[in-house]
Structure formats: C-alpha cells, structure tokens
Amino acid sequence: MQTDKEITIGILALQGDYEAHKKMLSHSGGAATLLVRSVEELHMCDGMIIPGGESTTIGKLLVKHDIIDPLIHKVQDGMPLYGTCAGMILMAKEIAGSEQTRLGVTNISVARNAFGRQVDSFEAQIPFASLEGDPVEGVFIRAPYVTKTWGEVEILAKYQDKIVGIREKNMLATAFHPELTSDTRVHELFLEMVRSAVRGASNP
Ligand code: GLN
C-alpha cells in the first residue's frame, strides 16, 4: 500500500502559545512540526498554524520578519491554515474598530475580547460540526468571536449563539484553544485538510 509522505506543519513561533500546538501535534501522529520564524521555514511547510497570543504583536512581527506577504500568497494558493484565537483575528478580513495588520484572507468579521472584560477566560463544551463524538472542550482566553461571515465560510461551532469556529476552503479557525486540552480532534481535522491538499497537489 502506498503511504502518504510525512507532512510538515509549520507553527508560527513569533509570539504566543506555539509550544502548546507543537506538543498537541506530537500526540496526533503522522506529521512533523516546524516552528516558523522565517520565510525559508515557511516554504518548508505543507500547512501552517497561527497560535493564540496577542494579535497586534504577531501582526507587527509578521511584517518585521517579512513573512506576511509570502504567507498570504501561500494560503491563497491553497496551503491550509489554522488559526486559534489571535490566529483567527489575524486571518479575518474585518476586525471591529481596528486597523491592525492582518492577513485578511478569510471572509469573516471578528470582534476582539468580545466576551467582555469580566470574563477573561472560561471553558465550555462546544458542539463542533464535522467532528464525531462529544462536544469539544472550548478554552476561551480573552477570546474573539465572529460577528459576520460571507462567501464560502461554513460555521462549525457556536457558543451562546456566537460563532466560534469556522472553515472556509483551506482555512480553519477557532476562537478557543484546543491545543490547551487533551482532545486532539480539531488538530486531526486540520491534519486531514493538509493531507488532502498535499494529495491534491501531487495528483492534479
Ligand atoms: N485578545 C487577544 C487578541 O486580541 C487574543 C487572545 C488569545 O489569543 N488568547 O489578540
């Protein structure tokens, strides 16, 4: 039987909880991980994750390290991208009340720190479309939510009527942090997106 080549998942490692994603992927078999801080490293990856952290800081560092334009181009060319929390904010075309630097590749509007200042962080069980079994444990930390979607965005998860998980073609985003739990299913879903993009590229 022909086996897939091992895929490489890049984790943007300029700021934020990138180590947690690396650890999570080490439990979800079949993918090598690379912490990405340069364009050269970006070009070695079959898929990329933008972690949680501070979206304004990550945006500035993306520019400083000259990664932003190549990353946008790779995603527009079909490379899968998964953003958690700050990562979701950076993917959005629109960020309420903010002109901050972003990739702007995903057809969503987001509101930052949208669950209110009193509730800095919380956990909730989140039913997640396209995942078998129990809801996922959603860890929310100064989380955004999605206020509007358009184009081909599929809504995968909601919490109290707020959109907190979406997919648009090769892009996946969650307002919460599966990498801070022991449930690997959202990362497995992303790995499947990457495998299928790699297969598609080798069998045009
Ligand atoms: N509130 C942060 C921001 O706006 C995101 C928080 C997180 O990634 N946990 O960038």
Side-chain angles (χ1 to χ4, degrees):
M1 200 179 84
Q2 196 187 347
T3 53
D4 286 339
K5 96 168 174 64
E6 186 174 69
I7 52 175
T8 301
I9 306 296
I11 305 163
L12 188 69
L14 300 175
Q15 191 266 336
D17 79 332
Y18 49 86
E19 288 290 353
H21 282 282
K22 187 173 162 67
K23 198 161 162 217
M24 173 59 98
L25 288 170
S26 71
H27 298 300
S28 21
T33 54
L34 182 66
L35 295 180
V36 170
R37 299 187 177 95
S38 68
V39 180
E40 292 69 32
E41 287 160 345
L42 170 67
H43 286 307
M44 294 162 75
C45 300
D46 301 301
M48 277 292 295
I49 291 178
I50 305 181
E54 178 51 46
S55 58
T56 50
T57 306
I58 299 175
K60 284 181 194 151
L61 292 170
L62 277 168
V63 172
K64 186 169 170 210
H65 289 248
D66 286 325
I67 301 177
I68 190 151
D69 291 331
L71 179 55
I72 293 170
H73 289 137
K74 279 188 78 106
V75 173
Q76 286 174 339
D77 258 12
M79 182 189 71
L81 175 65
Y82 174 31
T84 57
C85 200
M88 172 190 252
I89 296 168
L90 284 156
M91 290 165 71
K93 285 203 174 149
E94 296 180 0
I95 306 171
S98 174
E99 296 302 317
Q100 69 190 81
T101 304
R102 70 203 68 172
L103 306 182
V105 287
T106 311
N107 286 322
I108 55 175
S109 293
V110 298
R112 291 176 64 194
N113 303 312
F115 289 98
R117 289 190 187 281
Q118 322 74 309
V119 266
D120 223 30
S121 61
F122 61 95
E123 292 181 23
Q125 298 297 310
I126 310 291
F128 200 97
S130 73
L131 292 184
E132 303 274 325
D134 294 335
V136 300
E137 190 186 329
V139 177
F140 292 81
I141 305 170
R142 292 184 294 288
Y145 59 71
V146 175
T147 53
K148 198 170 75 182
T149 70
W150 60 98
E152 291 181 55
V153 175
E154 284 171 74
I155 295 167
L156 300 178
K158 284 187 173 182
Y159 171 67
Q160 293 184 342
D161 286 337
K162 313 293 190 211
I163 301 166
V164 293
I166 62 97
R167 176 172 177 178
E168 183 183 10
K169 296 184 272 188
N170 56 322
M171 297 173 279
L172 179 70
T174 57
F176 53 91
H177 295 269
E179 74 281 9
L180 300 179
T181 72
S182 56
D183 185 346
T184 58
R185 287 175 298 159
V186 178
H187 284 76
E188 301 279 1
L189 170 66
F190 180 61
L191 290 184
E192 202 36 58
M193 288 167 60
V194 178
R195 285 192 198 99
S196 117
V198 168
R199 277 198 294 271
S202 58
N203 305 306

